Amino acid sequence: MRASLPVNSFPTPPDSSRETGIGDFNIFAAYLFDTGNPAVSFGIGPQISAPTATKDALGSEKWSAGLANVLFNAENKVFQYGYLLTWQHSFAGNDDRNTVNVAAFQPFGMVQLGGGTYLRSTGIWAYNLDNDNYSIPLGIGIGKVFKKEKTVYNLFLEPQFSVADRGPGQPDWQIFFGLNMQFLQ
């Protein structure tokens, strides 16, 4: 299961002023199938997004649901890779806003440098099935995993640059920054 509540910052029309705040909440759960190899995970399951954005420009103002599919291969101690494939369609929310019908593909790779430090590339390629708009970023970043008491932290920073895009409002570049925490028993 993964839950996300992003903090977004976007330029908005007509004067490109910046809007910053919390975006839409998303959660998915993937049922993992037995691949016969404990280092390879493959799963599929439901996802749902809730309209939690603090400003109109930062979210869809729609409830959406769909599917998520994930693959992660950790057979190699130095290089791990996989993908997250999702699709969601809106089913409720503000009638004045556009329908959500989006597929996203997130290929990812990590190179372990030792001591919990790693290089990463995890750009999310998004495709709007209603209007054929898309964004394909590629990035290279760095991360650090460390443990404090009963919590494992994963802190990362990844600049991403658009290699292909179509439609208004697609980013030329973006910075993907995150902190994941796992709470151990």
Side-chain angles (χ1 to χ4, degrees):
M1 181 176 77
R2 182 182 85 177
S4 301
L5 185 63
V7 175
N8 296 325
S9 185
F10 297 118
T12 57
D15 61 355
S16 294
S17 62
R18 186 159 299 281
E19 294 286 348
T20 301
I22 293 174
D24 289 345
F25 176 77
N26 176 270
I27 187 168
F28 73 83
Y31 171 80
L32 296 179
F33 295 94
D34 184 358
T35 63
N37 182 343
V40 177
S41 300
F42 178 83
I44 190 166
Q47 78 164 329
I48 191 162
S49 291
T52 58
T54 54
K55 298 178 182 175
D56 291 352
L58 303 176
S60 67
E61 293 190 33
K62 297 277 191 176
W63 284 89
S64 301
L67 297 172
N69 167 237
V70 65
L71 169 76
F72 183 67
N73 187 320
E75 291 179 300
N76 188 300
K77 291 182 180 181
V78 176
F79 178 66
Q80 295 85 43
Y81 65 90
Y83 70 83
L84 173 63
L85 177 65
T86 62
W87 166 79
Q88 60 183 329
H89 195 285
S90 57
F91 62 87
N94 186 335
D95 291 336
D96 294 335
R97 295 294 293 261
N98 291 337
T99 298
V100 173
N101 189 10
V102 176
F105 179 64
Q106 182 179 19
F108 49 82
M110 284 76 134
V111 176
Q112 303 301 323
L113 300 176
T117 302
Y118 64 97
L119 298 177
R120 58 181 281 134
S121 182
T122 64
I124 300 172
W125 305 356
Y127 184 76
N128 185 317
L129 297 164
D130 280 350
N131 63 19
D132 292 328
N133 289 344
Y134 57 86
S135 173
I136 301 176
L138 290 180
I140 185 75
I142 192 163
K144 177 76 173 173
V145 176
F146 57 96
K147 182 179 175 188
K148 289 253 188 200
E149 298 178 11
K150 292 187 175 187
T151 304
V152 177
Y153 297 89
N154 179 1
L155 183 65
F156 58 87
L157 177 69
E158 182 180 333
Q160 299 176 347
F161 301 90
S162 178
V163 296
D165 59 73
R166 177 177 165 182
Q170 304 297 342
D172 291 327
W173 64 275
Q174 55 196 350
I175 296 175
F176 187 36
F177 169 78
L179 171 64
N180 298 326
M181 296 181 291
Q182 294 178 333
F183 306 102
L184 307 174
Q185 295 185 3

